[in-house]
Amino acid sequence: MTDFRTERDSMGEVRVPQNAYYGAQTQRAVENFPVSGWQLPPSMIAAMGRVKLACGIANRDLGKLTGSGKNPLSDGQVESMLSAAKEVAAGQLADQFPVDVFQTGSGTSSNMNVNEVLSNRAIEIDGGDRMAEAKSIHPNDHINMGQSTNDTFPTAIHVAAGYEIENRLLPALRRMHESLTEKAQAWDKIIKIGRTHLMDATPLRLGQEFGGFARQVELSIARAEAARDAVLELPVGGTAVGSGINTHPEFGARVAASLSEQTGIAFIEAVNHFEGNANRDGLVDSHGGLKCIAQTMLGLANNIRWLGSGPRCGFYEVKLPTRQPGSSIMPGKVNPVMCESLMQVAARVIGNDTCMTVSGGCGGNFQLNIMMPVMAHTILESIELLAGGVTAFIDFCLDGMEPNEEACEAAVEQSLSMCTSLNPLIGYEQAAALAKEAFKSGQTIRELCQEKGILADDVLTEALDPWKMTEPQA
């Protein structure tokens, strides 16, 4: 028994793995692009399945599939075609999409990969022979009806990115915001020293510090929502160059409505199909929001890493959960591994933004961008990394973090910046001189003021009350 079968396309014969659902054009792409071993992410393949389902529904409802065109389908064949698309949208047949990311820049190889798989699977569902040379449900004439790769592939990228932001990234960020808000409230009575330039500053409350973190994440949620909204316009309906050749005037709007119904996301037809086909500005805009979220996560994780440093010779103002041994040579050492993990995620996403920017700006001329597969891979990787990194950080670090009240409060009295509250009473110059002398002598500001009789005891006590320093005073 042979391990291959012979398939034909417009260029001739191709040997295809015997049991593969894909056909000649997919196999040519596999042979042409042995570049990275990276395939399009499952979320992109699922989105392509959703797009093909929506296109099939639109063509069915417009009477295009069963009409008087070439090789009209029966109602049963149409339903088989839609069933096959539903399977791909649900993540089935996942091993049938082998084309490398670094392929033809429009994504034609992957579009035809999906068309061929859906064609053969639909024939099989309908009870036909998917190995037959004549395709009763044709990959181009039926599956790709009213479509071009140039409008449907970027549509699928938008659908995939919007769906993953909505269903993976936003829930993770909302959980992070909730966890940080809870800690800000629970830790609001704990006074600690502030730090600017990594140097001692005036006091604040640990809850205030974490409330600042929570607000950063709240803003990240808004940025993620804006990143989702940046990809709501769908190019589908523009076909090859934006003119809509070979498709029905209502096709784009119907497909967008179907995709909105499938996903619960308010996708719409592109306002201008020439812009929608030619430019990937929406994806660059969307990823820009992801980059901003990533730099927020980088700073937040790094701050928490510093706050947990120690346990004896660092700040150790928060106690991070112990996850694993930290050294192959230093017994008992435990490291802030979840902080480090999220920081690496952020670095990758920030780097990915350069790929998106170059691909969007330099990746095409006139009516088509030709770097779309790498843009699809990159933006979906960034969403996946952020969602996964944030979720792991919550589960294995944030939720189990505890305050070290003793360490927080011990540093307050030692800070030379306590003299800041004396400015209104003795002036900046004298307060600065006290700070320098206190540092030289090893005394606290309070001790030095008492020794020198700078202020009456009751006035000094009120002026150096650290709690009052954490809020504005009239």
Side-chain angles (χ1 to χ4, degrees):
M1 177 181 291
T2 179
D3 294 327
F4 295 89
R5 68 181 193 269
T6 299
E7 292 263 345
R8 291 173 178 80
D9 61 12
S10 60
M11 293 181 66
E13 293 185 350
V14 182
R15 280 161 49 90
V16 177
Q18 177 63 36
N19 295 319
Y21 280 87
Y22 56 79
Q25 292 200 43
T26 301
Q27 185 60 33
R28 288 191 191 279
V30 170
E31 294 171 4
N32 285 339
F33 308 113
V35 179
S36 68
W38 301 353
Q39 297 160 357
L40 288 175
S43 55
M44 179 63 182
I45 300 300
M48 294 177 77
R50 291 188 180 98
V51 171
K52 294 298 179 181
L53 174 60
C55 291
I57 291 171
N59 281 323
R60 178 197 66 187
D61 294 347
L62 290 166
K64 302 291 288 184
L65 288 167
T66 55
S68 58
K70 179 176 173 58
N71 301 327
L73 300 179
S74 68
D75 290 339
Q77 287 175 313
V78 172
E79 291 309 309
S80 295
M81 191 178 86
L82 298 182
S83 294
K86 289 176 183 177
E87 289 182 356
V88 171
Q92 299 178 39
L93 302 170
D95 61 345
Q96 296 299 309
F97 304 98
V99 180
D100 200 277
V101 167
F102 300 98
Q103 54 171 283
T104 174
S106 60
T108 298
S109 296
S110 285
N111 183 43
M112 284 309 303
N113 186 177
V114 172
N115 289 339
E116 290 174 342
V117 169
L118 293 183
S119 169
N120 284 325
R121 178 59 183 143
I123 291 168
E124 186 176 61
I125 293 172
D126 195 54
D129 178 11
R130 67 181 176 91
M131 303 296 183
E133 181 176 352
K135 301 299 181 183
S136 56
I137 303 174
H138 196 274
N140 296 86
D141 296 337
H142 301 125
I143 307 296
N144 203 61
M145 178 181 283
Q147 306 156 55
S148 165
T149 300
N150 301 353
D151 65 337
T152 55
F153 192 79
T155 292
I157 306 175
H158 283 216
V159 170
Y163 187 87
E164 293 299 299
I165 291 171
E166 178 67 26
N167 292 283
R168 292 205 61 197
L169 180 56
L170 278 166
L173 290 173
R174 288 172 182 141
R175 275 192 64 205
M176 177 178 266
H177 178 254
E178 181 180 353
S179 182
L180 287 167
T181 300
E182 289 174 356
K183 284 174 170 50
Q185 294 169 350
W187 299 351
D188 193 50
K189 301 299 183 183
I190 302 172
I191 299 176
K192 56 159 287 180
I193 202 64
R195 296 180 184 88
T196 59
H197 305 268
L198 289 179
M199 306 301 284
D200 303 343
T202 57
L204 76 162
R205 304 195 293 273
L206 188 61
Q208 292 174 320
E209 189 166 40
F210 273 75
F213 296 157
R215 174 60 176 159
Q216 282 186 284
V217 178
E218 184 178 20
L219 291 170
S220 291
I221 291 169
R223 292 183 182 109
E225 291 170 341
R228 174 202 60 203
D229 294 348
V231 295
L232 293 182
E233 285 193 38
L234 303 181
V236 65
T239 62
V241 298
S243 64
I245 188 173
N246 287 357
T247 200
H248 193 282
E250 298 177 16
F251 185 73
R254 285 174 177 263
V255 172
S258 178
L259 287 165
S260 294
E261 184 178 352
Q262 288 184 53
T263 62
I265 299 171
F267 293 114
I268 60 171
E269 181 182 12
V271 173
N272 182 300
H273 278 289
F274 296 97
E275 183 279 330
N277 265 46
N279 299 299
R280 301 279 60 85
D281 295 349
L283 288 174
V284 176
D285 183 12
S286 180
H287 199 279
L290 300 180
K291 181 188 74 170
C292 191
I293 294 168
Q295 66 85 29
T296 295
M297 294 300 116
L298 181 62
L300 190 152
N302 198 27
N303 275 324
I304 290 176
R305 183 175 72 103
W306 274 94
L307 291 175
S309 63
R312 294 246 176 122
C313 302
F315 297 141
Y316 202 47
E317 293 175 349
V318 296
K319 301 175 183 178
L320 306 182
T322 299
R323 295 303 308 172
Q324 62 188 57
S327 174
S328 62
I329 191 172
M330 292 176 279
K333 190 171 187 291
V334 178
N335 297 328
V337 294
M338 302 313 300
C339 297
E340 294 166 1
S341 172
L342 186 55
M343 291 168 69
Q344 291 175 83
V345 163
R348 176 71 176 204
V349 174
I350 291 167
N352 279 352
D353 196 64
T354 299
C355 177
M356 293 296 293
T357 302
V358 171
S359 297
C362 302
N365 300 98
F366 309 116
Q367 279 69 60
L368 182 66
N369 180 288
I370 49 76
M371 294 179 74
M372 288 193 283
V374 75
M375 295 186 81
H377 185 276
T378 301
I379 193 168
L380 292 172
E381 179 190 62
S382 291
I383 297 166
E384 179 181 1
L385 286 174
L386 283 172
V390 167
T391 298
F393 188 74
I394 298 165
D395 289 342
F396 303 129
C397 182
L398 202 54
D399 281 351
M401 190 187 307
E402 297 178 357
N404 186 348
E405 296 188 43
E406 183 179 352
C408 287
E409 294 172 1
V412 173
E413 189 69 16
Q414 296 298 318
S415 173
L416 300 176
S417 290
M418 291 284 282
C419 69
T420 303
S421 62
L422 300 180
N423 286 354
L425 301 173
I426 65 174
Y428 182 93
E429 295 295 340
Q430 189 175 358
L434 285 172
K436 292 177 182 179
E437 185 175 347
F439 179 67
K440 185 176 181 179
S441 67
Q443 294 171 288
T444 67
I445 295 296
R446 188 187 307 274
E447 290 168 344
L448 186 59
C449 286
Q450 288 172 336
E451 179 183 287
K452 290 180 172 291
I454 299 293
L455 293 167
D457 286 347
D458 59 334
V459 176
L460 183 64
T461 297
E462 183 175 1
L464 296 183
D465 180 354
W467 183 270
K468 289 185 176 180
M469 296 185 197
T470 68
E471 295 177 344
Q473 298 293 321

